[in-house]
Amino acid sequence: MTDVSSYGSHPEYLPDFMNDQQVMKLDLAENSALAAATLSSFPAATGDVIDFESVPFEDRLWWDDGEHWTRMAAELLSSYAQPSGRIAVIWGNYLMPTVTIPVDVAVRHAQEILDAGPHFWIYPLGGSVLIECLMDGQVTVVTIPPNRSHAV
């Protein structure tokens, strides 16, 4: 990730639908709290991807194209998020602020989320899993260690 001082410096990189009232953009303190409860629970491999060679994961999937990703995102969110709940999208760079959005909005705009930043994490708020999405099409679901998944 880039320097903390650049956090959220380019919200214009977010998809247009994220300017809706239903989307909350997290400030640096809120982002830090969320990261402490989720991403910081795992060792990093090269860069800022989770080191899955040292951490067991629940599932690993691959998307082929945008249409496949859209179906996969809908299936993952229906499995791991409350239908009326919210998810956080944590981007693989600090330029775009982390956002929280309703699950149904995320499902409808899954392709736009992928297009905005093909390296990101999805955290169903209040849940116990983190979903890592990489630009090569790899999607990995991992359980957050107990007592770490209740922030935000």
Side-chain angles (χ1 to χ4, degrees):
M1 291 202 181
T2 52
D3 182 332
V4 173
S5 67
S6 66
Y7 175 77
S9 61
H10 288 283
E12 70 273 14
Y13 293 168
L14 292 171
D16 287 341
F17 84 90
M18 289 190 179
N19 291 314
D20 186 284
Q21 294 176 8
Q22 298 181 78
V23 178
M24 282 183 38
K25 296 174 181 121
L26 302 187
D27 64 24
L28 180 58
E30 293 166 328
N31 178 71
S32 296
L34 181 64
T38 58
L39 288 172
S40 296
S41 300
F42 303 102
T46 5
D48 54 355
V49 299
I50 296 172
D51 180 6
F52 287 113
E53 290 194 20
S54 65
V55 175
F57 54 88
E58 304 303 314
D59 202 2
R60 178 164 283 154
L61 308 163
W62 298 85
W63 51 266
D64 299 325
D65 56 29
E67 194 173 300
H68 186 203
W69 157 251
T70 299
R71 286 192 313 276
M72 182 186 299
E75 289 170 14
L76 287 168
L77 293 176
S78 71
S79 296
Y80 295 108
Q82 297 294 324
S84 61
R86 294 178 74 83
I87 64 158
V89 178
I90 306 163
W91 306 101
N93 67 62
Y94 259 25
L95 299 177
M96 297 185 295
T98 295
V99 296
T100 68
I101 54 179
V103 171
D104 63 325
V105 173
V107 169
R108 277 196 316 272
H109 295 282
Q111 182 63 51
E112 293 166 76
I113 293 169
L114 181 67
D115 290 344
H119 177 188
F120 56 92
W121 296 270
I122 297 172
Y123 170 60
L125 297 180
S128 61
V129 300
L130 185 66
I131 302 166
E132 181 177 70
C133 304
L134 301 178
M135 61 182 55
D136 65 358
Q138 179 177 296
V139 177
T140 307
V141 179
V142 63
T143 299
I144 300 168
N147 301 321
R148 297 296 297 256
S149 61
H150 303 290
V152 179

